[in-house]
Amino acid sequence: MTTHIHSDSDNGTHSDSDPGSESGTGPGTGAPAGRGVGEGRVGVGLFDPKQLVRSLPDAFRKLHPRVMVKSPVMFVVLVGSVLTTLFSVKDPGDWFGWTISAWLWLTVVFANLAEAVAEGRGKAQADTLRKAKTDTVARRLSRDGASEEPVAGTELRIGDRVVCEAGDIIPGDGDVVEGVASVDESAITGESAPVIRESGGDRSAVTGGTKVLSDRIVVKITTKPGETFIDRMINLVEGAARQKTPNEIALNILLASLTIVFLLAVATLPPFADYAGTHLTMVVLVALLVCLIPTTIGALLSAIGIAGMDRLVQRNVLAMSGRAVEAAGDVSTLLLDKTGTITLGNRQAAGFVPVAGTTEAELADAAQLSSLADETPEGRSVVILAKERYGLRERLEGELADAEWITFTAQTRMSGVDIDGRRVRKGAAGSVVAWVKERGGTVTEDVAGQTDRISEAGGTPLLVAVDDTAGARVLGVIHLKDVVKDGMRERFDELRRMGIRTVMITGDNPLTARAIAEEAGVDDFLAEATPEDKMALIRREQAGGKLVAMTGDGTNDAPALAQADVGVAMNTGTSAAKEAGNMVDLDSNPTKLIEIVEIGKQLLITRGALTTFSIANDVAKYFAIIPALFAAVYPGLDKLNIMRLSSPDSAILAAVIFNALVIIALVPLALRGVRYRPVSADRLLRRNLGIYGLGGLIAPFIGIKIIDLLLSLVPGL
């Protein structure tokens, strides 16, 4: 790893320091780093009771057997509902059968309602996206580029080039191959501020449906009609493209197995009952089966998965698959780019170090003067530091009327000003030293020592020199340093408690990388990183059985994004990066990777917690139904009737009613998700067993008893 490379987030802003150093930042990097799960936009994770009413029609439409068979547990409940209804029709006077049938149908509807509510929350966003997806007329260039022809946007094919000018809607996804323009992406990202899109860099990708605000660009189409970014996002938020994840499939198999076991167990009860001298009706057997199988988690499983995807969409992250969301929850290594992710992205002046014979005030005055025309963040930070620390006033325009400003170039690596016979220069150490010597000046021995000390501390030294009546000489050094974002060390401490190892990736030299890594608190770093180095690091981690997540935006990041288990591409990046990753961050905020990991863990924890609650829930129902069925024949079983339920019919009916109501009661939790806290796995397991295991055991005893008391008030029970 000897090659020094530019940071992937370089925005082309010039710097007086080494041009190979990192600078620039992408949109959104100024967002607070400490925002956690559940602290996103307004309405994220909230449960709107009105959505229940709006989703009812969808819940009834999902009663179709072809839809229900996808959930084996609820399909069994549907079949049971049909059977109890048929037996009730044969005996119209059996109010018990009709009541059981009604509550079994409600159980199925409530299960469908949970999924319908989860899907319905994305429909509003899908409608907004459809408004952005307009049928535009594209100005397609001929093969030789000499002429244009108007064609419908739906007729564009991969490789076509289209011209877009101010006011035009970009007709399809593609890359800018010519020109630079300001683009309004608010329809996609929700951000009102326009972004710059230009050819030949990592910010060349454009999305169909966005609007060009200024200038002229030529876009090369990279997707087919109907497969654009907006099309994929609409399918995602509506649930049309959501595939079951491996963990979800495995849990479905487990639930189906438990259902088969309890089905066989219930099927063997009638002979035993007949032998004991009692009779079990089909209505009672179905009620027993429904209460024994894990209906709660079976009803909420799909809603949990949809809600997890929805939480990502609410944070403007497009996940290409549910597998990626689950993988984020199991990630053990995070690869984070330094610039714009861990640091603010722009180096700032931290101090002035004068050489022997020069005062700090003299150095600060020269540094400020040479930076007045420097509009880069680095240049502005020098002016601000000189003003705040040394009280230097702003210079009046009249004082600078005769000034000749020397702009930075990659060849000179210096900038400055000539004024009143005095020449002031600021720039990279080697360039400034050479400039002084060309003018017959001398460079004191302490200059090299000061620059070395700043470099070893992870900073960037800029020399300030002057050529006046006293001759050419170096006045001192400006100490530039990367500023680590507030709260990053705390976030990395949280990740460490979660068992996640953090690795900072940077194009800086090892000395600078080590200093930033120690200040930020990351576990490791990769300096002077090339695309091959990133790939090798990911493969080493994966070879050790770890899941790896990383962010990227450039074409050179595409191989690593494709190799990573969770590859988050920035929306401002190239099409190659977005195609390689399995997630796209529409806000292009690299720190969001930390949130994505938390959302993935929240999804897994929610599914595990509700599964624990559901199984514990069923245990309590055994104590309600089993004694009710056989206590008359085997009086000893009455000892298991610890709830002292009033009658067998009341016990069975109370269990069925509770079984239905608990589903609708848990819908808000399934949609909002169980709150995630960065603790160790064993503490998390103990906490979930204590809350959802013990809670799932106790809640049915209380709920069934209350329902039984209410039913005892009904005449005839």
Side-chain angles (χ1 to χ4, degrees):
M1 295 184 293
T2 58
T3 305
H4 186 88
I5 62 170
H6 287 277
S7 165
D8 295 330
S9 56
D10 194 334
N11 63 359
T13 303
H14 82 257
S15 167
D16 293 323
S17 56
D18 188 339
S21 61
E22 299 185 19
S23 64
T25 180
T29 53
R35 189 177 71 178
V37 174
E39 301 174 30
R41 304 179 180 197
V42 176
V44 173
L46 299 181
F47 175 68
D48 180 10
K50 295 180 181 178
Q51 186 67 47
L52 289 173
V53 178
R54 291 194 294 268
S55 301
L56 268 176
D58 288 335
F60 283 103
R61 280 192 287 269
K62 288 178 179 291
L63 290 174
H64 195 288
R66 289 184 179 177
V67 178
M68 295 297 301
V69 76
K70 296 178 182 178
S71 174
V73 176
M74 298 316 300
F75 181 72
V76 169
V77 180
L78 175 66
V79 173
S81 304
V82 173
L83 289 176
T84 55
T85 303
L86 292 176
F87 279 95
S88 297
V89 169
K90 290 183 178 180
D91 187 5
D94 182 13
W95 64 268
F96 179 78
W98 283 111
T99 307
I100 292 292
S101 298
W103 280 102
L104 290 182
W105 280 110
L106 285 176
T107 302
V108 180
V109 171
F110 288 165
N112 290 343
L113 190 59
E115 184 175 355
V117 169
E119 293 175 350
R121 298 197 325 162
K123 289 185 177 179
Q125 187 164 355
D127 292 339
T128 302
L129 291 171
R130 282 197 179 90
K131 293 177 182 177
K133 185 185 174 185
T134 56
D135 293 329
T136 57
V137 176
R139 296 159 56 189
R140 184 169 61 187
L141 284 174
S142 60
R143 291 187 178 275
D144 57 7
S147 61
E148 302 175 8
E149 60 172 335
V151 297
T154 54
E155 296 180 10
L156 293 175
R157 294 295 179 265
I158 296 176
D160 286 347
R161 293 182 301 155
V162 297
V163 176
C164 298
E165 294 181 326
D168 290 346
I169 301 295
I170 297 175
D173 295 357
D175 289 324
V176 178
V177 294
E178 180 183 322
V180 57
S182 176
V183 179
D184 177 11
E185 295 186 341
S186 58
I188 306 297
T189 65
E191 299 292 338
S192 58
V195 296
I196 300 299
R197 291 290 177 264
E198 57 187 339
S199 61
D202 289 345
R203 304 188 183 280
S204 60
V206 291
T207 305
T210 57
K211 185 177 182 180
V212 178
L213 299 180
S214 67
D215 302 296
R216 176 184 184 274
I217 53 176
V218 176
V219 177
K220 183 178 180 180
I221 301 299
T222 58
T223 57
K224 299 177 181 178
E227 298 179 4
T228 64
F229 197 74
I230 291 183
D231 289 316
R232 284 186 290 172
M233 195 165 183
I234 290 173
N235 287 334
L236 173 72
V237 297
E238 288 189 326
R242 196 188 84 88
Q243 302 295 322
K244 290 184 183 294
T245 62
N247 285 347
E248 197 172 347
I249 292 172
L251 186 53
N252 263 317
I253 293 173
L254 174 62
L255 297 181
S257 301
L258 289 174
T259 301
I260 293 172
V261 169
F262 284 119
L263 182 62
L264 294 175
V266 170
T268 61
L269 285 180
F272 286 105
D274 292 340
Y275 177 79
T278 185
H279 178 66
L280 299 179
T281 65
M282 181 60 71
V283 171
V284 170
L285 290 173
V286 170
L288 174 62
L289 176 62
V290 170
C291 290
L292 293 182
I293 63 177
T295 51
T296 306
I297 186 60
L300 298 174
L301 186 58
S302 182
I304 294 170
I306 294 172
M309 300 282 282
D310 179 65
R311 279 191 288 275
L312 280 178
V313 172
Q314 293 289 345
R315 285 166 176 78
N316 266 1
V317 177
L318 174 60
M320 304 304 180
S321 69
R323 183 189 295 266
V325 184
E326 281 192 354
D330 288 328
V331 159
S332 51
T333 302
L334 275 182
L335 306 185
L336 299 164
D337 188 35
K338 185 201 75 171
T339 304
T341 305
I342 296 173
T343 65
L344 292 176
N346 298 309
R347 291 162 299 181
Q348 297 184 3
F352 299 117
V353 184
V355 299
T358 304
T359 65
E360 285 191 34
E362 184 181 359
L363 172 60
D365 180 76
Q368 186 192 58
L369 182 62
S370 64
S371 301
L372 290 175
D374 187 351
E375 293 300 325
T376 66
E378 296 169 3
R380 290 195 297 271
S381 73
V382 173
V383 175
I384 293 172
L385 180 65
K387 181 179 179 181
E388 292 181 349
R389 184 172 297 182
Y390 300 97
L392 295 179
R393 62 179 177 83
E394 294 183 4
R395 302 169 196 264
L396 302 175
E397 292 185 6
E399 299 180 54
L400 305 174
D402 298 328
E404 180 182 349
W405 301 103
I406 310 301
T407 58
F408 172 88
T409 66
Q411 289 74 32
T412 64
R413 295 198 297 168
M414 290 188 302
S415 62
V417 61
D418 294 345
I419 183 172
D420 297 332
R422 184 184 183 208
R423 296 181 177 87
V424 183
R425 295 294 183 270
K426 175 194 70 176
S431 299
V432 173
V433 168
W435 181 82
V436 170
K437 290 181 177 180
E438 285 175 3
R439 281 154 181 75
T442 58
V443 179
T444 58
E445 294 181 358
D446 58 342
V447 171
Q450 290 170 353
T451 56
D452 289 343
R453 281 193 295 273
I454 292 174
S455 297
E456 290 172 1
T460 302
L462 294 183
L463 294 188
V464 178
V466 64
D467 183 11
D468 55 15
T469 55
R473 62 196 184 279
V474 175
L475 298 179
V477 187
I478 301 173
H479 182 184
L480 292 180
K481 63 177 294 186
D482 281 309
V483 179
V484 175
K485 292 180 178 179
D486 291 338
M488 290 307 296
R489 177 174 283 275
E490 290 74 14
R491 295 303 297 276
F492 291 139
D493 288 342
E494 288 182 11
L495 291 170
R496 199 170 292 111
R497 288 194 295 271
M498 293 157 52
I500 296 176
R501 176 171 170 265
T502 53
V503 180
M504 181 185 77
I505 299 177
T506 176
D508 280 342
N509 62 71
L511 287 175
T512 301
R514 182 180 299 278
I516 296 297
E518 290 177 353
E519 183 179 355
V522 296
D523 298 311
D524 202 353
F525 66 90
L526 179 66
E528 298 178 343
T530 64
E532 292 78 12
D533 296 331
K534 298 176 187 178
M535 283 281 290
L537 175 60
I538 293 173
R539 285 172 176 165
R540 284 198 303 271
E541 293 290 322
Q542 291 173 333
K546 299 176 180 177
L547 295 184
V548 181
M550 76 161 289
T551 60
D553 58 1
T555 301
N556 63 341
D557 287 324
L561 287 171
Q563 180 68 34
D565 300 284
V566 180
V568 184
M570 301 295 102
N571 189 42
T572 54
T574 61
S575 295
K578 290 193 282 188
E579 289 296 328
N582 48 26
M583 291 188 187
V584 178
D585 177 18
L586 301 180
D587 293 330
S588 299
N589 179 3
T591 61
K592 198 178 290 183
L593 179 59
I594 299 174
E595 284 188 58
I596 291 171
V597 170
E598 292 177 343
I599 291 172
K601 287 188 175 294
Q602 186 183 39
L603 171 64
L604 296 177
I605 291 170
T606 301
R607 186 183 295 155
L610 291 183
T611 301
T612 303
F613 183 91
S614 178
I615 294 175
N617 198 30
D618 293 335
V619 173
K621 286 180 280 189
Y622 304 158
F623 288 91
I625 296 182
I626 300 298
L629 294 179
F630 295 101
V633 180
Y634 301 105
L637 287 177
D638 191 57
K639 294 179 181 179
L640 296 178
N641 186 16
I642 58 179
M643 286 180 277
R644 315 316 300 174
L645 302 178
S646 56
S647 69
D649 286 352
S650 176
I652 296 171
L653 188 54
V656 171
I657 294 174
F658 177 83
N659 195 60
L661 293 180
V662 75
I663 293 173
I664 206 69
L666 290 176
V667 169
L669 182 61
L671 299 183
R672 187 182 298 113
V674 175
R675 185 178 178 184
Y676 172 71
R677 292 182 178 87
V679 296
S680 60
D682 57 338
R683 287 186 60 190
L684 189 63
L685 178 61
R686 288 197 300 269
R687 175 177 175 269
N688 283 347
L689 286 176
I691 295 176
Y692 299 99
L694 188 60
L697 198 62
I698 295 174
F701 283 96
I702 299 173
I704 291 174
K705 181 59 179 178
I706 292 174
I707 296 172
D708 177 72
L709 291 174
L710 295 175
L711 291 175
S712 65
L713 301 177
V714 178
L717 269 178

